[in-house]
């Protein structure tokens, strides 16, 4: 029960627009009561609490979903629900490390406030006759304390299960999300908006004007399938690559994934790349190739090492979409290529060639064509499930030795309140090594996810970073 | 922050072993770990795996034994029985788990089993004409009742019921046209299917139309 009649009236006002089942409404009310209790501890008066939270914080979002509100999967997302098994799914996580310990009560209300601006996130995966789709759901989305390793499988089978979860642990707020819903860019927008609201509720309003205003209506462009922007090309690009050297061969696998964050100063990383006349992405790709080489020493096959680098298509086709809109470049080098200038030049050359507008337009056209192929479209979902799962295993995973996803620089809009961000790509059942990079202010975090029992990849990356003169320390899933 | 004495790399204080060289870290402080110690999750999947393993073992051993003693059809019965058990107790969808779909798939699996037994024992047409329609009738009434009682919660789960309705009505039409022997269980099944289909369209037509648009992407 609220401790004063003012609070009681305010709670009533807050929940006046809520039309969810009783249990959910009660839980929403309890979330606000916990927030009131937190504010009381902080010594805030009733009027201040009312002003801090704001009257229309929930808007008119918490009402039964419109039965006609549903979303098709975008062209890139279609394969993710099909490739999902009962133990593995394509999930990734973005996290923000704050200066202070996370207050769960505040984070919970911040999520309630933010979700209304992102209706695409308020959906559950459903099975259609030909494709999966996202069906709108309205419920209380809980924040949870972390209890499982990063990017663990979370079931989407039950009714009204959202495709994301907001987790907290000590000073970290994490958003784990099913890749079918959005890509790294979209997830980062959601997380940053959540952090902005969280800090506002804590009494530290931020001037982050690049983020969506949670009180305005969601925009149609944010939900568009940007792959449809593909213009007809004379020829597309094939997605078939040769089989790649698999780093795990000859090494025992761990039961659980290893997630290591190499935390380093952004300036040192930039300086190291500049000194070698390449970009940060090329520099780290070289480290990855060295790692793949080291962890595939015992492999006897003559397959090339192939590293996938996702490319954010928003740079080439301006779009406000929060859904998937990335393609990729695949850098291929023969096993035994010596690290150094030669390797870096070759990586630069291939990357430049594959990220030219013409090649990306061709790939975009092919990706869209594949998703809209009439034969694929009319194939029933059950059959697709069987066929595309196999195809994805070959096209999507076995052709890659590793992946490097560079989210780039996150705008330093939270100043000192956020220390840094990290980004973890979950391993799918067949892929071996996933690497990511994200920078915020003076700190860059290079993350490696793998499952090799001994850590030849990590050792090689450490050696490589040390040789480049980049100071770093390692954090991650402790053993 | 600690420095590994073995490889001199700077690592977080939460590491019990160096994540690079594996050396034990005497200054480890588990409370400083960046991630929590993972709790054990999902015993359901573990038991599911055990169940599937046992079924496969049963099928394999019965196949070996029956082929050795010259009773190959029995191996087929066990296989079909195992399939039915899998559909009813162990199958699990990755999205939109539906009890109705499980009941209907289980019904189809049992129908297959009965058909197999009839076929391999050369015991007439008791399964096709009596037993299978009766099983499907039970499945149809149970799944239709479930949908009617929970259509607000699971509006999209009408598809398996409708699928069974179409199958039953088609079967009935084949009987009327003389392609199939028609007997009272098939008459009951197909007329019930027609009743369920028409009733569902009358009572839930708005909901079903909305769901159908989603399911067919129109």
């Amino acid at each position: 029960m609220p401790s004063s009649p003012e609070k009681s009236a305010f709670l009533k006002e807050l929940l006046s627009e809520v039309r969810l089942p009783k249990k959910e409404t009660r839980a929403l009310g309890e979330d606000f009561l916990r927030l009131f209790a937190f504010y009381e501890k902080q010594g805030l008066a009733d009027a201040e609490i009312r002003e801090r939270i704001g009257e229309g914080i929930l808007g008119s979002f918490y009402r039964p979903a419109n039965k006609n509100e549903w979303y098709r999967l975008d062209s890139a997302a279609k394969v993710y629900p099909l490739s999902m098994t009962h133990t593995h799914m394509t999930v990734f996580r973005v996290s923000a490390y704050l200066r202070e310990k996370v207050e769960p009560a505040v984070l919970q209300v911040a999520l309630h406030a933010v979700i209304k601006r992102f209706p695409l996130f308020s959906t559950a995966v459903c099975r259609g006759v030909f494709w999966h789709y996202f069906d709108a759901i309205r419920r209380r989305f809980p924040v949870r304390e972390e209890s499982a390793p990063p990017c663990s499988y979370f079931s989407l089978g039950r009714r009204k299960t959202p495709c994301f979860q907001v987790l907290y642990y000590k000073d970290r707020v994490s958003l784990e999300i099913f890749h079918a819903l959005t890509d790294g860019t979209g997830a980062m927008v959601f997380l940053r908006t959540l952090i902005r609201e969280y800090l506002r509720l804590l009494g530290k309003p931020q001037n982050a004007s690049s983020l969506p205003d949670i009180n305005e209506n969601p925009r149609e462009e944010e939900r568009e399938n940007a792959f449809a922007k593909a213009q007809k090309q004379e020829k597309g690009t094939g997605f078939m690559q040769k089989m790649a050297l698999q780093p795990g061969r000859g090494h025992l696998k761990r039961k659980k994934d290893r997630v290591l964050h190499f935390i380093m100063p952004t300036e040192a990383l930039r300086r190291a790349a500049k000194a070698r006349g390449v970009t940060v992405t090329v520099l780290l790709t070289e480290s990855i190739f060295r790692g793949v080489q080291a962890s595939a020493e015992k492999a006897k096959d003559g397959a090339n090492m192939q590293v996938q680098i996702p490319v954010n298509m928003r740079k080439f086709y301006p779009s406000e979409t929060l859904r998937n809109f990335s393609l990729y470049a695949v850098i291929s080098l023969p096993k035994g290529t010596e690290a150094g200038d030669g390797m870096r030049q070759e990586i630069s050359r291939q990357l430049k060639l594959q990220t030219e507008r013409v090649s990306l337009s061709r790939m975009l056209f092919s990706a869209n064509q594949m998703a809209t192929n009439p034969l694929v479209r009319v194939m029933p979902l059950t059959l697709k499930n069987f066929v595309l799962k196999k195809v994805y295993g070959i096209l999507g995973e076995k052709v890659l030795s590793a992946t490097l996803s560079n989210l780039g620089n996150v705008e330093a809009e939270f100043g000192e309140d956020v220390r840094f961000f990290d980004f973890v790509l979950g391993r799918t059942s067949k892929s071996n090594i996933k690497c990511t990079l994200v920078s915020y202010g003076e700190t860059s975090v290079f993350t490696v996810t793998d499952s090799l029992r001994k850590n030849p990849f990590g050792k090689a990356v450490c050696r490589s970073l040390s040789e480049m003169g980049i100071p770093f320390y390692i954090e991650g899933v402790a053993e | 922050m600690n420095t590994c004495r073995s490889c001199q790399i700077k690592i977080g204080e939460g590491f019990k072993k160096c994540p690079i060289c594996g050396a034990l870290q005497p200054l480890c402080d588990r409370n400083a770990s960046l991630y929590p110690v993972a709790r054990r999750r999902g015993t359901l999947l573990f038991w599911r795996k055990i169940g599937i393993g046992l079924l496969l073992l049963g099928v394999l051993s019965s196949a070996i034994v029956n082929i050795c003693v010259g009773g190959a059809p029995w191996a087929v019965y066990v296989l079909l029985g195992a399939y039915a058990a899998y559909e009813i107790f162990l199958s699990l969808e990755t999205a939109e788990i539906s009890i109705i779909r499980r009941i209907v798939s289980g019904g189809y699996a049992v129908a297959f089993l009965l058909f197999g037994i009839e076929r391999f024992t050369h015991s007439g047409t008791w399964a096709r004409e009596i037993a299978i329609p009766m099983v499907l009738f039970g499945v149809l009434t149970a799944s239709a009742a479930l949908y009617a009682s929970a259509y607000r919660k699971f509006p999209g789960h009408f598809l398996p019921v409708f699928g069974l309705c179409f199958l039953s009505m088609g079967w009935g039409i084949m009987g009327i046209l003389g392609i199939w022997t028609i007997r009272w269980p098939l008459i009951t099944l197909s007329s019930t299917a027609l009743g369920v289909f028409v009733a569902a369209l009358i009572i839930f037509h708005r909901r079903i139309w909305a769901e159908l648009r989603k399911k067919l992407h129109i």
Side-chain angles (χ1 to χ4, degrees):
Chain A
M1 279 297 287
S3 53
S4 68
E6 283 85 4
K7 278 199 200 84
S8 190
F10 183 41
L11 183 64
K12 232 178 194 177
E13 238 173 74
L14 285 169
L15 301 178
S16 61
E17 295 273 319
V18 177
R19 302 276 184 278
L20 294 183
K22 268 184 192 167
K23 207 174 145 190
E24 297 262 309
T25 312
R26 204 179 312 128
L28 270 176
E30 280 164 10
D31 291 338
F32 279 103
L33 288 180
R34 273 190 284 272
L35 183 65
F36 291 167
F38 169 77
Y39 283 152
E40 270 169 27
K41 247 192 212 170
Q42 302 285 305
L44 257 67
D46 287 353
E48 284 173 304
I49 293 175
R50 182 181 271 268
E51 198 191 320
R52 179 80 61 86
I53 295 175
E55 277 159 28
I57 192 165
L58 298 181
S60 54
F61 178 79
Y62 292 91
R63 292 167 173 221
N66 181 345
K67 58 178 186 262
N68 294 319
E69 188 187 342
W70 61 281
Y71 307 93
R72 289 164 200 259
L73 300 187
D74 60 67
S75 303
K78 286 189 162 135
V79 78
Y80 295 123
L82 291 169
S83 65
M84 184 164 65
T85 67
H86 293 295
T87 47
H88 283 91
M89 63 197 280
T90 320
V91 60
F92 66 91
R93 142 199 299 232
V94 281
S95 310
Y97 293 74
L98 310 179
R99 281 273 158 223
E100 288 157 13
K101 204 171 164 246
V102 174
E103 287 300 337
V106 182
L107 184 64
Q108 179 65 77
V109 173
L111 179 60
H112 292 332
V114 164
I115 192 74
K116 65 177 187 284
R117 179 64 181 76
F118 297 90
L120 182 69
F121 285 64
S122 176
T123 52
V125 181
C126 289
R127 293 163 59 93
V129 176
F130 304 112
W131 293 110
H132 288 90
Y133 62 94
F134 291 123
D135 200 8
I137 53 171
R138 294 291 182 269
R139 52 167 286 183
R140 166 187 176 266
F141 296 93
V143 299
R144 293 193 183 90
E145 187 169 11
E146 247 180 272
S147 63
C151 298
S152 295
Y153 175 85
F154 57 97
S155 172
L156 299 177
R158 287 180 192 280
R159 181 178 161 260
K160 287 193 176 183
T161 309
C163 300
F164 73 93
Q165 46 183 4
V166 173
L167 306 164
Y168 64 90
Y169 184 67
K170 293 181 181 172
D171 59 352
R172 178 177 59 227
V173 177
S174 304
L175 170 70
E176 286 197 352
I177 202 156
F178 183 35
H179 212 329
L181 195 60
T182 183
D183 57 10
T185 309
M188 208 40 129
V189 170
F190 184 84
L191 178 70
R192 282 159 61 214
T193 313
L194 178 67
I195 296 295
R196 184 186 61 186
E197 183 62 9
Y198 171 78
L199 292 172
R200 187 192 72 77
L201 287 171
L202 273 182
K204 299 171 184 171
Q206 306 289 320
N207 183 27
S209 52
S210 63
L211 297 173
D213 178 358
I214 59 166
N215 294 317
E216 71 180 19
N217 285 331
R219 298 229 294 271
E220 208 47 57
E221 305 90 79
E222 290 169 1
R223 287 173 271 175
E224 70 177 358
N225 175 13
F227 284 87
K229 288 177 186 242
Q231 285 150 357
K232 199 170 173 9
Q233 302 287 319
E234 279 175 20
K235 61 172 188 178
T237 50
F239 285 87
M240 199 66 193
Q241 306 269 352
K242 284 183 182 164
M243 292 298 155
L245 189 70
Q246 295 300 315
R249 210 161 289 168
H251 285 277
L252 288 172
K253 300 272 171 69
R254 288 153 53 95
K255 251 188 164 177
K256 286 176 192 160
D257 290 349
R258 178 193 291 112
V259 180
L260 295 182
H261 304 294
F262 294 76
I263 301 168
M264 56 188 96
T266 307
E267 197 42 48
L269 186 63
R270 268 195 210 137
R271 223 181 302 125
K274 210 175 171 188
R276 286 158 185 81
V278 292
T279 60
V280 167
T281 305
V282 172
L283 194 74
L284 289 177
T285 310
E286 187 205 355
S287 297
I288 292 171
F289 273 116
R290 288 174 70 168
V292 170
Q293 201 132 255
S295 48
E297 270 171 2
K298 292 176 189 168
K300 284 175 189 146
D301 56 13
N304 276 4
M305 304 180 283
Q306 295 185 158
V307 175
Q308 184 191 49
I309 302 176
V311 181
N312 185 359
M313 291 301 289
R314 292 167 184 87
K315 288 178 191 164
F316 300 90
Y317 289 85
S319 169
E320 286 181 38
T321 188
L322 293 176
R323 308 177 78 174
N324 287 291
F325 195 33
S326 328
L327 288 173
Y328 57 83
V330 176
I331 313 295
S332 177
L333 293 177
K335 192 188 162 195
T337 307
E338 280 218 10
D341 272 344
M343 187 190 262
R344 283 192 291 270
Q345 293 314 319
E346 182 55 23
I347 296 169
S348 284
R349 190 190 67 78
Q350 290 191 29
L351 191 59
K352 203 173 166 194
L353 197 73
Q354 293 183 49
T355 51
E356 274 174 0
R357 200 185 160 94
V358 182
S359 3
L360 287 171
S361 300
R362 278 185 192 155
M363 195 186 259
L364 187 67
F365 174 64
S366 299
N368 201 42
Q369 212 179 24
M370 209 194 272
T372 51
N373 181 315
L375 249 181
V376 179
R377 276 168 80 173
V378 298
M379 197 189 281
L381 191 66
T382 323
L383 200 60
K384 271 193 198 113
N385 233 341
F386 181 75
V387 177
L388 291 188
K389 209 170 255 181
K390 300 281 171 217
V391 173
Y392 181 74
I394 298 165
L395 277 183
E397 302 295 345
K398 283 184 186 166
V399 297
L400 299 173
S401 309
T403 301
L404 168 64
S405 182
N406 183 357
L407 262 190
N409 271 315
V410 177
E411 226 172 285
E413 59 219 334
F414 303 116
E416 293 288 298
D417 291 314
V418 174
R419 291 191 296 138
F420 56 87
F421 283 87
D422 78 29
F423 172 31
V424 182
L425 273 181
R427 280 184 345 102
T428 43
S429 53
K430 293 197 179 74
S431 63
N432 276 307
I433 294 168
K434 301 274 189 193
C435 307
T436 61
L437 177 73
V438 61
S439 305
Y440 177 78
E442 290 163 9
T443 311
S444 290
V445 182
F446 177 58
T447 304
V448 176
T449 314
D450 75 320
S451 69
L452 308 180
R453 188 163 287 176
K454 286 185 178 168
N455 193 359
F457 188 88
K459 272 179 205 164
V461 168
C462 280
R463 208 176 307 128
S464 160
L465 292 176
S466 304
E467 281 171 19
M468 290 170 195
I470 303 168
F472 66 91
Y473 74 96
I474 301 175
E475 270 292 1
V477 175
E479 267 186 284
Chain B
M1 201 187 309
N2 291 338
T3 303
C4 173
R5 287 181 191 175
S6 169
C7 64
Q8 304 303 317
I9 284 188
K10 286 180 182 164
I11 56 173
E13 288 166 20
F15 286 110
K16 208 162 84 183
K17 287 178 184 171
C18 172
I20 300 301
C21 68
L24 276 173
Q25 298 302 305
L27 298 175
C28 158
D29 174 10
R30 296 294 275 183
N31 294 327
S33 170
L34 194 67
Y35 289 98
V37 178
R39 279 182 225 146
R40 214 176 145 191
R41 308 167 93 201
T43 49
L44 180 75
L45 286 178
F46 170 76
W47 288 112
R48 184 173 173 265
K49 268 185 193 169
I50 297 279
I52 292 173
L54 286 175
L55 277 184
L56 286 175
L57 196 72
V59 168
L60 199 71
S61 51
S62 91
I64 293 168
V65 170
N66 284 305
I67 288 167
C68 288
V69 299
W74 284 98
V76 180
Y77 307 153
V78 175
L79 178 71
L80 291 171
Y83 171 58
Y86 170 81
E87 280 295 347
I88 297 166
F89 301 112
L90 297 167
S91 68
L92 201 60
E93 287 104 4
T94 46
E96 215 180 347
I97 292 172
S98 153
I99 184 77
I100 295 177
R101 188 178 291 127
R102 177 172 293 210
I103 289 173
V104 174
S105 317
Y108 288 143
V110 171
F112 269 124
L113 173 66
L114 294 171
F115 179 70
I117 293 174
E118 182 204 271
R119 192 98 183 129
F120 286 104
T121 51
H122 305 289
S123 52
T125 54
W126 60 271
R128 273 174 287 171
E129 288 174 13
I130 313 277
I132 294 175
M134 281 170 75
V135 167
L136 293 184
F137 172 77
V139 168
L140 179 65
T141 44
S143 55
L146 258 175
Y147 182 73
S149 65
Y151 79 98
R152 275 181 206 280
K153 269 189 179 177
F154 311 106
H157 293 182
F158 67 92
L159 274 184
V161 186
F162 273 27
L164 186 52
C165 283
F166 287 134
L167 182 96
S168 310
M169 288 189 291
W171 201 1
I173 290 169
M174 280 165 73
I176 292 166
L177 295 176
I179 305 168
W180 199 272
T181 321
I182 190 158
R183 293 179 68 166
W184 64 266
L186 185 55
I187 296 170
T188 315
L189 173 68
S190 46
S191 52
T192 309
L194 181 67
V196 166
F197 182 66
V198 172
L201 283 188
I202 292 169
I203 304 168
F204 309 118
H205 65 280
R206 278 205 191 123
R207 186 62 80 143
I208 285 175
W209 175 237
E211 290 301 318
L212 205 61
R213 285 179 60 193
K214 295 177 193 174
K215 299 282 177 200
L216 293 171
H217 281 33
I218 47 176

